[in-house]
Amino acid sequence: MALFGKPKNAEAQRYYLLPGQGRGARKKFYQQLGIALVVGSIFSALIGFAMIYLNKRH
């Protein structure tokens, strides 16, 4: 790989998109991020309520 200028074998340096890296990748990423945030918030709220309940039983 050359640091400056064109590489000697340009065909070997060609970039190919893998499945999932096309147009819908950004939409899918943000959809999964939103779901993860919702599930994380619900889970942390359940853990928080469980901790409060267990501490008030004394």
Side-chain angles (χ1 to χ4, degrees):
M1 185 167 116
L3 293 177
F4 301 104
K6 292 184 179 181
K8 292 181 182 179
N9 187 0
E11 288 297 316
Q13 302 297 324
R14 185 172 288 200
Y15 177 74
Y16 292 98
L17 287 176
L18 296 173
Q21 292 180 327
R23 286 183 221 153
R26 185 176 299 142
K27 180 181 176 183
K28 184 177 180 182
F29 170 76
Y30 284 116
Q31 183 181 20
Q32 290 176 344
L33 179 64
I35 291 170
L37 289 173
V38 169
V39 170
S41 298
I42 292 171
F43 185 72
S44 65
L46 290 173
I47 296 293
F49 286 129
M51 289 174 65
I52 291 170
Y53 176 73
L54 290 174
N55 281 329
K56 285 190 174 184
R57 282 189 5 182
H58 286 95

